Amino acid sequence: MTEARPSLAQYVVWRLEALAYNLVTGLARLFPIDSVSDFGAWLFRRLGPLTSTHKVVQTNLRIAFPQADEAEIARLTDESWAEAGRVALEFPILDKIVGDPTRVQVVNAERLKQIADTGESVVFISGHFSSMEVMPAAIVHAGITCQITYRAMNNPYVDESFRRSRFRYGVRLFAPKGTESARELIRALARGECVALMNDQKFNGGVAAPLFGVTCHTAPGPSSFALRFDAPLQPMSVQRTHKARFKVVVHDPIRLANTGNRSEDIAAGVRKVNAFIEDRVRDRPTEWFWVHKRWPNETYKRSRK
């Protein structure tokens, strides 16, 4: 089945959005790295509170940290917007960041080397921590053949620019999310390659498991793949150390028990993934992607009462 062609109006909007994105990218690449990062923080600190998403950020923080008073919620919200701004404007210059060996430190890099040297097939998992794209760059630069999942942009012209940006820092194997993505990831694991997935966003119909003590739904894919191919879950995270400088942490692998009860084994894996995500967020709360509605809609409705 051929895809429907966009209307003339949609085409014009897409082209204008792509032009704006490419203009921002071009400007960002003219200035020093830390200046670009600082400007992103300044900009989002001022624009974020003017958007409807501001309430989502505040609500998410109250769900995760119910004991925090309003002054603390305000502080976390402000710093979260600053972080979001840094991440947004750092993306177009990420190749310059990862190309500077003084800006990215990899903790437990020997684990990545072990995976590369032995050809071990693993399921990398992580969340939207700080400039999260530093993580796939670290995986690729370690010499690991890995399919990196991503959500294609609605605008195909902006999506093309995004892909070009990722090409600059070495990420060239993509598995767009969806049914075909799952098939491609299975084929990659069957070939003995690695796959990498973000596993911290809402997934309707996913496995119900607690996150900060509140039930949410999480994609079962990473745990399902790990069990199917007897591969470990390999968690990673990224931390901002100062301005556009980062620490990529390769955590201890998570090995899932295969009891023969597939649904329960997958659910157990999801609970471990959520626990990993929660621990990282508690350690560095302002560096998570709070703008996303992570919990069920009913949770947000109750919070408004």
Side-chain angles (χ1 to χ4, degrees):
M1 182 182 295
T2 59
E3 294 184 5
R5 296 185 62 181
S7 65
L8 177 60
Q10 180 67 83
Y11 174 80
V12 171
V13 169
W14 277 349
R15 282 298 190 182
L16 289 174
E17 289 175 346
L19 178 64
Y21 174 79
N22 291 333
L23 178 61
V24 170
T25 296
L27 287 172
R29 298 184 70 80
L30 294 176
F31 293 91
I33 292 172
D34 285 338
S35 296
V36 173
S37 181
D38 287 344
F39 178 72
W42 177 87
L43 183 66
F44 273 51
R45 265 195 164 116
R46 283 148 184 80
L47 296 184
L50 303 179
T51 68
S52 59
T53 307
H54 188 64
K55 290 185 178 179
V56 175
V57 174
Q58 292 175 317
T59 302
N60 281 337
L61 285 164
R62 291 188 183 107
I63 291 170
F65 305 108
Q67 305 306 317
D69 59 24
E70 286 307 300
E72 179 66 1
I73 294 296
R75 183 189 70 80
L76 292 173
T77 302
D78 177 68
E79 292 185 16
S80 296
W81 276 123
E83 179 66 26
R86 289 186 185 278
V87 172
L89 265 71
E90 285 165 355
F91 179 75
I93 58 171
L94 205 65
D95 60 309
K96 297 169 71 174
I97 294 173
V98 300
D100 182 345
T102 70
R103 289 187 176 272
V104 180
Q105 173 193 3
V106 181
V107 178
N108 198 16
E110 58 272 17
R111 171 59 179 152
L112 292 182
K113 184 177 187 303
Q114 179 188 44
I115 294 169
D117 290 347
T118 63
E120 180 183 3
S121 185
V122 307
V123 179
F124 287 101
I125 59 163
S126 190
H128 291 74
F129 307 123
S130 190
S131 280
M132 71 292 294
E133 283 291 320
V134 177
M135 288 181 285
I139 292 170
V140 171
H141 289 182
I144 297 170
T145 302
C146 184
Q147 292 283 341
I148 311 290
T149 56
Y150 86 110
R151 181 189 180 281
M153 306 294 291
N154 294 330
N155 182 328
Y157 304 106
V158 174
D159 188 61
E160 182 181 353
S161 294
F162 264 63
R163 289 170 67 96
R164 281 201 304 270
S165 293
R166 297 184 100 191
F167 285 169
R168 291 193 192 106
Y169 53 90
V171 177
R172 298 179 181 276
L173 298 179
F174 300 98
K177 291 183 178 180
T179 302
E180 181 54 36
S181 170
R183 295 194 188 101
E184 180 54 39
L185 295 179
I186 289 171
R187 287 193 287 265
L189 287 165
R191 293 192 298 267
E193 298 174 2
C194 298
V195 301
L197 307 94
M198 293 293 192
N199 206 192
D200 63 337
Q201 292 193 310
K202 182 179 180 181
F203 188 85
N204 291 326
V207 175
L211 183 69
F212 288 95
V214 180
T215 298
C216 62
H217 293 88
T218 302
S223 297
S224 177
F225 295 147
L227 287 164
R228 177 169 178 171
F229 290 94
D230 191 27
L233 294 174
Q234 180 56 65
M236 291 181 66
S237 65
V238 61
Q239 303 171 1
R240 187 179 300 279
T241 56
H242 179 65
K243 296 196 176 190
R245 297 180 185 276
F246 304 94
K247 180 186 294 183
V248 177
V249 183
V250 185
H251 299 269
D252 292 338
I254 300 172
R255 301 190 182 275
L256 304 183
N258 190 341
T259 68
N261 185 333
R262 184 167 177 76
S263 60
E264 180 50 42
D265 290 344
I266 291 174
V270 168
R271 289 193 293 270
K272 290 183 178 181
V273 170
N274 278 10
F276 165 77
I277 297 295
E278 182 175 330
D279 286 345
R280 303 288 76 72
V281 177
R282 286 190 184 278
D283 284 346
R284 308 177 73 85
T286 61
E287 293 182 6
W288 197 40
F289 193 66
W290 292 103
V291 303
H292 171 70
K293 285 189 175 181
R294 180 63 182 93
W295 289 272
N297 292 335
E298 300 75 38
T299 304
Y300 295 90
K301 291 177 182 177
R302 288 196 299 269
S303 70
R304 293 197 293 267
K305 294 181 179 178

